[in-house]
Amino acid sequence: MQLTGEITGTRPLLVLAVKEEAQCLDTSLPVLLTGMGKVNAASSLAAVLGRGPRPSHVVNLGTAGALRPDWTGTHVIGTVMQHDLDSDTLLSLTGEIYGAPLTVGDPDGPTLATGDSFIDDEAARARLAAHAPLVDMEGYALATAAHQAGVSLHIVKHVSDDAGEGAAKSWRESVAECAHALADWAARNIPDYA
């Protein structure tokens, strides 16, 4: 976890997984780098929100894999779900629903599937495409931490790869371009970005 800048109640907190995604940000806003994966994302954001002060809201900027053909560009997410939690089995065991999908940001935006696995094979891609057009490794965890803290969250993802064979190589080759697109989105859409 790495936090730069000062969090205040009047400005948003930008949250990204890794420095490669944040490399083009040029802002006085506070930036939190959580590290990859759900545990790193949830624990980092929860720690920052728990110790205060709290930001006006949280904006998660990051990369995502496209699970369906022709998904490119930058997307403001509407719903996040976990793809690696067996909610049905947990419901049958406990009678409780764990890990239900969460609404964030744009209610008309696409669904983002979150899990701790980097999706880079066709079978996993096809299985997940039935539920969501995009996949990442932090979105749901960040949404959970923000919801539990009572802080609003927006998730903005730029497609870095097709979540199929060769996705890791594609991510490495495209992450700088993605970082530029995310910084451009932030400059155009976050009033306090400058």
Side-chain angles (χ1 to χ4, degrees):
M1 177 178 89
Q2 179 184 356
L3 175 65
T4 57
E6 182 181 346
I7 297 174
T8 68
T10 60
R11 301 184 318 155
L13 170 64
L14 305 182
V15 178
L16 299 94
V18 291
K19 67 182 183 299
E20 290 85 354
E21 294 172 327
Q23 64 184 298
C24 295
L25 293 178
D26 183 18
T27 182
S28 63
L29 291 176
V31 176
L32 174 65
L33 300 179
T34 65
M36 288 185 171
K38 294 190 306 184
V39 171
N40 287 328
S43 62
S44 295
L45 184 57
V48 167
L49 295 177
R51 71 176 174 232
R54 292 186 177 177
S56 61
H57 61 285
V58 173
V59 180
N60 169 226
L61 302 169
T63 56
L67 297 169
R68 298 177 185 162
D70 301 322
W71 276 78
T72 61
T74 304
H75 303 275
V76 179
I77 303 303
T79 302
V80 288
M81 58 169 281
Q82 290 186 88
H83 69 74
D84 59 355
L85 180 69
D86 190 352
S87 297
D88 293 337
T89 299
L90 296 177
L91 177 62
S92 72
L93 292 172
T94 66
E96 303 273 336
I97 296 174
Y98 291 93
L102 299 172
T103 301
V104 296
D106 178 3
D108 296 323
T111 298
L112 175 69
T114 297
D116 277 321
S117 298
F118 185 89
I119 304 302
D120 61 356
D121 70 80
E122 298 304 324
R125 181 180 191 234
R127 178 180 55 81
L128 293 175
H131 305 285
L134 299 170
V135 64
D136 85 333
M137 296 177 66
E138 297 83 26
Y140 188 91
L142 294 169
T144 300
H147 276 76
Q148 289 180 353
V151 176
S152 69
L153 169 81
H154 300 283
I155 298 177
V156 179
K157 296 293 176 174
H158 190 83
V159 175
S160 58
D161 58 81
D162 68 1
E165 189 174 316
K169 182 179 185 227
S170 295
W171 185 87
R172 282 190 301 275
E173 292 173 350
S174 70
V175 70
E177 178 186 322
C178 294
H180 184 73
L182 290 166
D184 283 350
W185 184 93
R188 288 191 318 273
N189 292 281
I190 301 174
D192 298 320
Y193 182 81

